[in-house]
């Protein structure tokens, strides 16, 4: 290995205001078949009726005790639904979900082999992908289907810098028009500044979604009906029993 391959990544200071990063720690999964919506509706905290061609929303999957084992985003791709997963936890997440998927004959859940998740900081770079259609992405969760994938607007960071993800669905890599390439450490710093939590092996199944501030990111629909862990999550919400949550001074989420 070269020195550049073994050296640890460090975030740039000050944080970059534009650039792109290949998020190799995330992967894409496609759910297809007649039971897609019913399966996902029963396992995730998001209402599948609200996941549309132009809205890609955050969601959490929990154990029956309401403990979060998956933080993801759900997006429409024609008749299918896509979600992104942390690569390191994907095996355990998919194993858990397949316990319920087996009840839905003809419905599949498979990794998108050529799928790539890109992180984008700055509207100028996103415009190289979307052109004038970028104006359609006004709020976090807004999504735009392109020939090569799906462009999604994210929450801005603490400086109100626009941020996006691009879910590449084929082998054709985007042309970034000589934009600066960022490190994963740069992207992690951007996520932290935007208040986005991320689970690792030590924090998986340790917290209910509200402890991760997931409700503030639009990741919990409190009126959608039953799903695994819903009773605990709803009780905490409606009875006001939340005692602990993420904070800048005492973070409870690790960023690997």
């Amino acid at each position: 290995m070269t020195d550049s391959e073994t050296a640890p990544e460090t975030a740039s200071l000050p944080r970059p205001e534009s650039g792109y990063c290949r998020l190799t720690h995330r992967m894409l999964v496609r759910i297809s078949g007649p039971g897609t919506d019913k399966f996902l509706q029963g396992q995730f905290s998001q209402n599948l009726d609200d996941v549309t061609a132009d809205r890609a929303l955050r969601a959490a999957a929990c154990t029956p005790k309401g403990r979060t084992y998956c933080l993801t985003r759900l997006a429409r791709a024609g008749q299918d639904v896509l979600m992104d997963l942390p690569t390191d936890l994907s095996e355990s997440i998919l194993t858990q979900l397949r316990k319920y998927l087996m009840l839905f004959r003809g419905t599949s859940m498979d990794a998108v082999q050529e799928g790539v998740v890109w992180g984008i900081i700055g509207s100028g770079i996103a415009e190289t992908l979307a052109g004038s259609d970028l104006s359609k992405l006004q709020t976090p969760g807004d999504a735009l289907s392109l020939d090569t994938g799906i462009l999604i607007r994210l929450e801005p960071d603490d400086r109100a810098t626009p941020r996006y993800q691009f879910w590449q669905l084929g082998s054709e890599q985007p042309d970034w028009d000589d934009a600066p390439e960022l490190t994963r450490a740069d992207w992690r710093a951007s996520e932290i500044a935007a208040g986005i939590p991320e689970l690792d092996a030590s924090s998986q199944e340790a917290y209910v979604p509200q402890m991760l501030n997931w409700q503030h990111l639009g990741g919990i629909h409190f009126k959608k009906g039953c799903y695994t862990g819903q009773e605990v999550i709803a009780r905490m919400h409606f009875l006001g029993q939340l005692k602990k949550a993420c904070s800048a001074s005492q973070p409870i989420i690790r960023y690997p």
Side-chain angles (χ1 to χ4, degrees):
M1 285 189 174
T2 65
D3 291 341
S4 61
E5 291 174 322
T6 58
E9 289 185 349
T10 57
S12 305
L13 292 175
R15 294 200 319 273
E17 296 185 0
S18 67
Y20 69 94
C21 178
R22 180 168 180 161
L23 306 184
T24 55
H25 63 297
R26 307 294 295 186
M27 61 178 287
L28 295 175
V29 172
R30 182 185 297 271
I31 303 93
S32 306
T36 293
D37 278 31
K38 190 172 182 179
F39 161 61
L40 295 173
Q41 187 80 343
Q43 297 308 314
F44 285 91
S45 59
Q46 190 55 255
N47 187 354
L48 267 293
D49 290 342
D50 293 341
V51 178
T52 63
D54 55 6
R55 290 290 287 165
L57 302 178
R58 296 188 185 273
C62 302
T63 67
K65 294 183 178 180
R67 300 290 171 162
T68 311
Y69 67 86
C70 173
L71 297 175
T72 187
R73 184 184 294 277
L74 303 175
R76 295 282 178 185
Q79 299 299 313
D80 303 338
V81 173
L82 300 174
M83 63 180 177
D84 70 318
L85 298 180
T87 305
D88 292 346
L89 301 180
S90 61
E91 184 175 349
S92 66
I93 291 171
L94 293 175
T95 297
Q96 185 90 319
L97 288 172
R98 285 192 175 111
K99 295 177 183 178
Y100 303 93
L101 180 66
M102 62 185 297
L103 301 175
F104 297 89
R105 187 182 300 273
T107 301
S108 62
M109 180 173 59
D110 300 294
V112 181
Q113 295 302 324
E114 294 185 330
V116 178
V117 180
W118 298 88
I120 302 171
I121 298 177
S123 294
I125 297 175
E127 192 172 359
T128 65
L129 291 174
S132 61
D133 284 341
L134 186 64
S135 61
K136 298 177 181 178
L137 305 184
Q138 294 295 319
T139 61
D142 284 352
L144 181 65
S145 294
L146 305 174
D147 291 341
T148 55
I150 301 172
L151 183 63
I152 304 167
R153 180 141 192 175
L154 306 184
E155 296 78 9
D157 65 13
D158 57 344
R159 305 168 302 183
T161 304
R163 303 184 325 120
Y164 304 83
Q165 276 188 0
F166 179 63
W167 292 8
Q168 177 187 325
L169 299 178
S171 59
E172 183 180 349
Q173 182 170 319
D175 180 4
W176 299 112
D177 196 24
D178 297 324
E181 183 173 2
L182 308 178
T183 66
R184 275 185 51 193
D186 289 329
W187 183 256
R188 288 198 300 270
S190 170
E191 289 278 271
I192 293 170
I196 311 302
E198 183 174 307
L199 298 175
D200 63 12
S202 65
S203 55
Q204 195 179 28
E205 297 190 22
Y207 309 105
V208 297
Q210 291 100 314
M211 291 180 179
L212 311 177
N213 291 334
W214 208 237
Q215 72 278 24
H216 300 311
L217 298 170
I220 307 175
H221 194 291
F222 290 106
K223 298 181 180 180
K224 62 166 282 185
C226 295
Y227 57 94
T228 302
Q230 181 264 346
E231 183 178 352
V232 175
I233 295 166
R235 185 186 305 123
M236 180 168 289
H237 174 69
F238 291 110
L239 298 182
Q241 295 178 342
L242 181 62
K243 304 298 182 183
K244 180 170 61 174
C246 293
S247 70
S249 60
Q250 191 179 22
I252 60 175
I253 302 302
R254 297 180 177 89
Y255 286 79

